[in-house]
Amino acid sequence: MADEVPCLPNMMALFENGVPSLETLQYAIGDIDQQLTENDRSIEKVLQELVKATNGLSADNNYTNIKDAMDSLIHTPVLEECACLPPEPDDVNKLLKAILHHLTSSPGSENAIFDQLLCLASHEGLGLPIRAPKPDLVGDSNFSLNSISDSKEQENDLVWEDIRSRLKRHFLECLQSMPTTNKSESKIIQTRRVEYLQSLCILFPELEVWNSYQQVRSQQLINTVRTQLGGVQGGGDKNDSKSEMHTPSINTPPKLSLRDLAGHMQQLVSVIQLMVKEDGDLFLTDVFNGRVDFMQCIQDLYMQTLSEELQPVISDTVTTVVGRDDAGCNGKKKEEVGNNFHSHVADDRLFDTAVESAKVELNPEDLTAFITIVTGLAALDSYMRHLFDQVTRDFAPPIVPRKPKSSIKSVLKNSPRDSLDRDGKGRGGDRDYNSQKGIMSDAIPPPFGVTPCMMQSANSNKTHIRQSVLDSPSKKLQWNWIDLLERLVPDVTWSVTKLILDTLQTSLHQEEEVFQKSRCTNEVPVCRDLVNGSLDYPKLISVSLAELVSALENLMPLAVLASEGVMKAIRTAFTDAIEANLSQIFITLSNRLKTFESTSAEDGDSEVYTGITEVYKMLSAAVFCTSYLTHIKSILTDDDTRRSLSGVHKQLTEFSNAIVDITKNYHSGVISSSILHDAESNNWADQRAFFEDERVSFSIQMWNLHMKGLQQELFASCPPRHAQRILALVLRDSLKVLSQRYSRAMPSYKRTKQLRSDITAILLTTLDFLWSSANSVQAVLDQQVTVQPYSDIHNCCICLLSTMAVVASPLQDFYKVFKKGFQHKRMVLKDAEKEGVPMVIPWMVWTRMEVFFGCEKGFEGVQKRSAVFILLKLLSSQPSPNYAMILQALLVRDNLLPVLLVRNADQKMCQSSQESLSSTSPNTSGCGGICCPGQQCYSNQSCEIPDIIQPIVDVLILCTDHPNALANVLIAMIEKDDDMSIFEPNCIPGKTVPVPPWLACVYELLSFYIDGAIKSSIVHLTTEELHKEVSVGFLDSLRELPCGCVPKKSRNMSNQTESKDIPNAVLQTLIKRVTNDVVTIPMPLCVFFETLRQNLCTKKIRSAHNTPGIQIIASCLYNKLHDVEGLAELVGHPLEASTLASLATTADYCHQILTCEDAGGLEGKSQEAVVFIKRNSEWLEKNMNKMIGHLSNELLDDYSAYPLEDSPYEFVSHFMTELAETVCQNPEGQKSLLQVYHILKNNMDWLAYHLEIPPSIPNQQETPTIPHFSLDVPPPLSSNNDFSPLASFNRLGESPFNHDALAEFAIDWLKLLQSDIGLSEAGFRNLLLHRHEMQEDAYLEEIEKKPVRVLRSKYDLDNDDLV
């Protein structure tokens, strides 16, 4: 086959999953360097062949370098001597008339005739067709009157001009008939457009072709605008339009309302963007050879035409809206109102002044229509500017080339004997070398060469040079589209202010009336995407705030675009209105908070409790306002906006902090004064056992219930981070009360067991709420954490644990540890620490030893399964999804969690039931909350989980810093299936065997890579099929050429299009694209291919080319090319049956070719595939080696992730946060993360069972069963208020509140007492006195007397100064 043109890898596919790794970029650069090296070799080979051909023209030639050989061809007549004699004008005339007759008698044969003319030029050396301007009559008049002209040659010129004109008319008609709204076939249409323009540029000069194309395109644009706006299309004489392509006269379109105009604008912008993109692609392909300025094209063809077409329509619409033809002074007054609004917006007198000056107020529908129009025009302007930057960007270094000292004419001039043409006119001075096309001006005799008029150009084409950005760096597109709407700006400015203020006043007035009657505020949900985002948005806000935010969101696009110029007044009015409204909200919330404070001071618990729920709503409103202001300042980045909104932002922030303190103080007061107040439970001196030692204190159980209710209320309505902080603060304050109370308790013998049970229950309850109140692993595991209130929580728990250890531990164990004194124990602890034995064991180890064992060494010291459970428990207890924590759970401990999921999940669990999917399928309009983006709502999309594997794989493919994670999961799935038959040479998954789940996931990951190759193949196939339908040309009747030579290849030329082997061409295109884009395969997938290869080699299984990645790619191509629905979705429309059949055949051949290793592997292959392999053996070998080198690279063996296991907490948290942001930037990343979150949270019991984590309080009476696994996810805004006080009263975390189990809770007392329990010697002596054995009136058994006597003596407990 012919040498292929090297091409770069697909850049879009290379950056599909974010910025590629350095290794991937190195591979891509290496491939480019290799292609450049091959290009150099190919050029060198061609030059040597030229030297050899030059030496073969004459026996005297013996050149060794290309320069001498080319000089001999230029300066010697050797080519003229080898050429045919000039044809006679009569013979030329016969051929031209035959061509013209065929054109007139066979309509539709223009393409065939043009192709055959090109074949004559390429196969027989005839310079037909060739570009030339139209004959210049003025230039002809300058010839001498005595000159003799050949009438036959003149006739030939006219006939040839007629042929060119007919071909031009045909190509222009084809260009004009192309649809402008068909996005599905835009690639095919664009290919045909380029071919037509290239054909015209062969026949005519580029500028003349551009002028004609500009007229065609301008007319298409005018017709598109008028059609989309519902107006009259451009009229005029159609015949004139086809022949001369003049722009028809402009008809006035009918008047449209503002809403009608906005309704048509979105589709109009979409169509025009497609047209601009098509023209941008034309300039990227360099059809016009750099002679047309793209900026001038955009301005003249689009910007100017659009302004001319839209100006009368918008002007009439504005006149209809405002009711006047000129804005006049009223507009100036209203503009002043918008500009000066900042200083008077809080004053009610502004309304009176504004009403007097502003005569027109746009209703909300017209204002929305105006925003739609503005955003449409701005999007079109931005798109054209962006495309202009892409097309005109010059990646070459800014080096200005030196100008040549002399013209190239002196180098390429011919010998003096050829200075006269056939007419006897001297053309030596005008002879030139066409450096653009590489054609000598008189190398071929006319009319198949250059006619007299061809060397003249009225437009001076030679003066046009390519223009780049470096030539004029200040060149920018200028389209003042806002001028079209300038008359409406004053009215819009006033309307924006009025709409925002009226919206809040109306809704706030209604809300205040309801609140005064019922002391309750109605709320509506917020979009869960906002709640799950980086800003702390609440789940519910008041109706008045929701209506205000909805109005602001509708106006936000207008405010973003109004950054400068005449529209600056709109942004100023927008921000000032926001400041006024939020200030009003602040005043309203402050007044309601005063009402709560006054109510709480009175008697009436029900009213107070109702008031605290309203405080939650106030907190949600205030925090929503602060978060929304942060969002606005991040969008409107000008300094004026920041200064305008900073004051109210500070007020609302301080108000939110005040509400947090009020809420914390209220609940802390309730707990300390009511919940924990129990005289019977706290009577430690009572000699009777508390409820016969059958239960813990009522106050502890009620405290657990109150904290659960508080957690449910906070997490259901308050912002997630504020809810966590309030819960943590209340937990800390209540623990301070409990630690003080129990550290002072001096229980009797009968009450010691109660103290031990109470403290055990407190520690277990604290751990349960610590999962929910902590936002990081460090806050749970690190007792030395400096972040408050977690540091105080750990200190209180240590105090309670030490109290229990000293006061309630068995006397024999206590005596064994402390009989030699407190200082002796300290020395033992120091010696143990020197030996590397940690003695400071965190308090949570003693409550759940099976989970926290080893956590004294940090998170890296925890066992694998326990570490995963800690992350899962922490993740599932958060009020909203934590993306960084989700990734950490998937990546830690060699990906234990995803591997456990795929190994233990059976096929039934991998997919949702049809009933669940139908009942909880997401709404296409989004979750329905405030600020919901609709179909782009990830929280709504994530509710539908088809299986548990694909979301995990979709997340891991984006973790390029941990490429081994994907390989570990997929290898675990392969080992679970234990079916290696798919790697047999003749096995095709999807045809001979079913596609296993792991392979289906890999197919999905390869989609972006495979789809690009399939698209190129479909475009190539469709284009070839269009060329295949060609009419018979004139060469069938041609017996000899005008020069007398017999056309040896006429039959081959006439049928060359029909003889094209379309499947082979498509195969070459497909394999070439797959090979070139192999560097775009993500690194995690490449690591998986290499890991799979090593596993197969270990099992002595050989895949095709010993590279399973190639075999998987081949099977993926096969399945996708046979997927009719998938192909239709890929190209945007159903494909024809013939195209599908060709693609199916291509799929079969492609799989056989890619999996064939050498000539010995041709057995069993189809005949067509064998022929293709033999014909293109070298080409295939080069491409396959490229794929093998990338997919089986030795560097992939040592490709490891960042070592995070031994890293500090802060570094791991920052790393995971950055990685989560990177994953969320992918279009499907956030959705996949949410799906993984739902899978983990809904199946915590199932995961704990398979992680072998027992419950905190095991139930000995129940037989352990495998929990149910579910993929059913409720809608995002569904109420999850399943809190039952009675059920919660009898639960401690995920376990029953088993009093017997708490009383007999297993604690290794000896090990606990030997560890560092955080007591000083004075504190220890004080607690020692609280033991019932150490009290003066204590009754002691004989076995207890000696330990008590020794301890009292050792610690000098008989002194009167001890309390």
Side-chain angles (χ1 to χ4, degrees), residues 921-959:
S921 62
N923 188 359
T924 56
S925 61
C927 66
I930 299 301
C931 302
C932 182
Q935 295 182 355
Q936 302 300 322
C937 180
Y938 296 114
S939 299
N940 185 61
Q941 295 176 8
S942 63
C943 292
E944 185 177 2
I945 307 176
D947 59 75
I948 68 172
I949 300 173
Q950 192 63 51
I952 296 175
V953 172
D954 290 340
V955 171
L956 295 181
I957 192 65
L958 301 175
C959 300

Side-chain angles (χ1 to χ4, degrees), residues 1089-1110:
F1089 289 148
E1090 176 61 19
T1091 306
L1092 179 60
R1093 186 188 69 82
Q1094 294 178 1
N1095 288 2
L1096 293 178
C1097 293
T1098 303
K1099 297 179 181 180
K1100 298 181 179 180
I1101 300 174
R1102 179 176 175 81
S1103 59
H1105 304 280
N1106 197 25
T1107 307
I1110 294 179

Side-chain angles (χ1 to χ4, degrees), residues 942-991:
S942 63
C943 292
E944 185 177 2
I945 307 176
D947 59 75
I948 68 172
I949 300 173
Q950 192 63 51
I952 296 175
V953 172
D954 290 340
V955 171
L956 295 181
I957 192 65
L958 301 175
C959 300
T960 55
D961 293 328
H962 290 73
N964 296 320
L966 179 66
N968 293 337
V969 173
L970 294 177
I971 293 298
M973 296 176 65
I974 295 174
E975 292 176 349
K976 177 187 175 182
D977 294 340
D978 196 20
D979 183 11
M980 299 297 176
S981 61
I982 62 172
F983 297 105
E984 296 178 357
N986 296 326
C987 179
I988 304 178
K991 179 181 180 182

Side-chain angles (χ1 to χ4, degrees), residues 287-306:
V287 173
F288 302 107
N289 211 7
R291 295 183 177 273
V292 180
D293 186 7
F294 184 65
M295 186 186 74
Q296 196 68 27
C297 162
I298 294 293
Q299 288 183 338
D300 295 346
L301 181 55
Y302 289 98
M303 294 182 174
Q304 183 177 354
T305 304
L306 283 174

